[in-house]
Amino acid sequence: MEMTASLRTQSDVDMPHEQERPLRSLFGEILLAYLCWAVGFIIFVHWLLLTCLSRRYRKRCDFGTLLQFILPLLALAIFAGGGAWCRSSSNGVPNYRTCPGGETMSNECLFNVQSTKYQAIYTMHYIGLACMVIQFILDGVQIWGWVMQIRQIDDDNHSSNTVYSQKRSCFMILWSPYTVTAAYPITILFITFWVTLTWAVFYKDWSTDIGGSLTSLAWRVIVAGLGALSGGLLFLHHGRIGRCSTRA
């Protein structure tokens, strides 16, 4: 009896320390993920970290995490390639045509002066940039939850209030039942679509040489992005297709 009591007492003493270790490890992994996110804007190295963590704790690699690492690289290639072409020449003739108003670029100059090919590549150039920026911001909002999901942290006090407390078989996005594999790229492209329409179609008074017009354009782009995100959230939380499976 005395030995049993002694072992129980020692177990009670050791238990808090055993509980603190995974908690410290979790905070460390979240911090490391955010450091990778902050310094890896161009190449999105935090997705490589998430892939490694998934491999470590879940004994398998998630295709969705690797896909989210590849897609920003594709967007970067479109952004860099488009910018390089717009500043280069074809057959000795500059691809860029001087704007008659003296500005570097404006909506009127882009769609009334530049060639159709220049318009398409210039637009794709900024579509690539928009995709990178939008994913960078959305990733930053969700990284902590993805790390917790990988570790399968189940907080009994919040298990009925948060989807991250459930043990899922795949990564979820924006606190919805949808996976990053397909729904996340679609969400990013949906927001990018409306952002692009804002500066290319809806607001035509912007010019790179007029600071006030760029400020006004920036606010319109932010509002369009938030509006598209809200629409995406409504679909993600009320849709019925492609939901992530739940493991018992």
Side-chain angles (χ1 to χ4, degrees):
M1 293 293 293
E2 291 182 359
M3 182 177 296
T4 303
S6 176
L7 289 174
R8 186 176 302 170
T9 302
Q10 184 64 35
S11 175
D12 293 339
V13 171
D14 292 341
M15 187 174 298
H17 298 285
E18 294 297 327
Q19 293 174 345
E20 288 175 4
R21 288 173 186 171
L23 190 60
R24 287 198 301 266
S25 176
L26 171 65
F27 288 151
E29 288 166 356
I30 292 176
L31 178 60
L32 180 59
Y34 273 107
L35 287 176
C36 292
W37 169 79
V39 302
F41 167 69
I42 294 180
I43 57 175
F44 286 65
V45 292
H46 56 277
W47 280 108
L48 290 181
L49 175 64
L50 290 173
T51 301
C52 292
L53 290 177
S54 180
R55 179 66 178 173
R56 175 182 179 184
Y57 291 107
R58 303 167 71 183
K59 308 304 180 185
R60 65 184 178 89
C61 290
D62 284 275
F63 173 72
T65 59
L66 291 175
L67 180 64
Q68 304 316 312
F69 173 71
I70 295 172
L71 290 179
L73 295 181
L74 178 61
L76 174 62
I78 294 173
F79 171 67
W85 186 91
C86 289
R87 292 170 175 80
S88 63
S89 301
S90 298
N91 298 322
V93 179
N95 295 319
Y96 169 76
R97 299 173 182 175
T98 304
C99 298
E103 73 273 20
T104 303
M105 185 55 68
S106 63
N107 185 284
E108 181 179 357
C109 178
L110 175 61
F111 294 106
N112 295 325
V113 177
Q114 307 301 325
S115 66
T116 302
K117 185 176 182 179
Y118 187 96
Q119 294 172 20
I121 295 178
Y122 185 91
T123 302
M124 289 301 298
H125 167 68
Y126 281 102
I127 286 177
L129 176 62
C131 285
M132 292 172 60
V133 173
I134 290 168
Q135 181 169 351
F136 180 75
I137 294 172
L138 293 181
D139 283 2
V141 174
Q142 302 172 89
I143 285 177
W144 63 272
W146 285 329
V147 174
M148 292 178 66
Q149 185 182 344
I150 292 171
R151 293 285 298 271
Q152 296 185 332
I153 301 300
D154 191 3
D155 187 347
D156 293 334
N157 295 327
H158 301 86
S159 60
S160 61
N161 298 325
T162 173
V163 294
Y164 283 115
S165 64
Q166 302 175 26
K167 295 184 178 181
R168 300 276 183 166
S169 62
C170 45
F171 281 77
M172 296 173 289
I173 63 168
L174 296 170
W175 300 276
S176 77
Y178 283 85
T179 71
V180 298
T181 305
Y184 199 31
I186 292 173
T187 301
I188 293 169
L189 289 175
F190 178 72
I191 299 173
T192 302
F193 172 76
W194 285 104
V195 166
T196 302
L197 280 184
T198 300
W199 67 262
V201 178
F202 299 145
Y203 183 64
K204 300 183 178 181
D205 295 330
W206 61 267
S207 171
T208 56
D209 291 1
I210 303 177
S213 69
L214 290 181
T215 301
S216 181
L217 174 62
W219 281 111
R220 283 170 168 79
V221 165
I222 291 173
V223 171
L226 291 176
L229 175 61
S230 300
L233 285 172
L234 285 175
F235 175 80
L236 289 171
H237 285 272
H238 296 281
R240 300 291 181 182
I241 302 175
R243 290 194 169 196
C244 181
S245 61
T246 304
R247 288 183 176 178

